[in-house]
Amino acid sequence: DLHSFPTRRSSDLDLEYVGDLTITAYCCEKYPHICGGGNTASGYPPIPYLTCSVGDTKKIPFGTVLYIEGVGIRVAQDTGAFDGSKIDVAVKTHEEATKWKTGKHKVWIIKGD
């Protein structure tokens, strides 16, 4: 059950609470528009439902694996024009991104042993 995701060390994972951050969405469609397109700031193409864009790569470096409550697991691969209080998650279509319900979610960094 994702709602009871551990907040302390388990046998395989160490979780670091980042905070309650605003989660928004952008699309991975290949044609140019306001939402996305092209490679991420880390040089890789965005992957829908995996890639996310962070505002502060000193706090959340590229390659960091995150658990976002109510959203799931994402990997920081991009950076956007926003501060460290937001994360932008990649979704498949522009339509899906425009229908995304922006809101605050608890975010943890997942650290493996």
Side-chain angles (χ1 to χ4, degrees), residues 28 31 35 42 50 69 82:
C28 294
Y31 62 88
C35 209
S42 63
L50 181 65
E69 184 178 50
F82 44 79

Side-chain angles (χ1 to χ4, degrees), residues 7 15-23 54-56 58-61 64-68 84-87 105-111:
T7 57
L15 303 175
E16 178 185 330
Y17 182 65
V18 176
D20 287 6
L21 305 182
T22 300
I23 309 299
V54 297
D56 184 352
K58 290 179 183 170
K59 186 175 181 180
I60 304 173
T64 300
V65 179
L66 302 170
Y67 173 72
I68 304 170
S85 67
K86 297 180 184 176
I87 292 177
H105 297 261
K106 293 181 185 317
V107 177
W108 289 268
I109 293 173
I110 300 174
K111 298 178 179 183

Side-chain angles (χ1 to χ4, degrees), residues 23-41:
I23 309 299
T24 58
Y26 70 101
C27 78
C28 294
E29 293 181 349
K30 299 290 184 193
Y31 62 88
H33 46 69
I34 196 168
C35 209
N39 284 343
T40 63

Side-chain angles (χ1 to χ4, degrees), residues 37-101:
N39 284 343
T40 63
S42 63
Y44 298 98
I47 300 169
Y49 317 113
L50 181 65
T51 298
C52 70
S53 176
V54 297
D56 184 352
T57 56
K58 290 179 183 170
K59 186 175 181 180
I60 304 173
F62 291 143
T64 300
V65 179
L66 302 170
Y67 173 72
I68 304 170
E69 184 178 50
V71 176
I73 294 173
R74 299 292 186 270
V75 178
Q77 291 183 311
D78 207 356
T79 188
F82 44 79
D83 64 23
S85 67
K86 297 180 184 176
I87 292 177
D88 207 11
V89 297
V91 296
K92 190 171 184 178
T93 67
H94 185 70
E95 180 181 3
E96 186 178 1
T98 60
K99 290 182 178 179
W100 183 270
K101 294 192 187 311

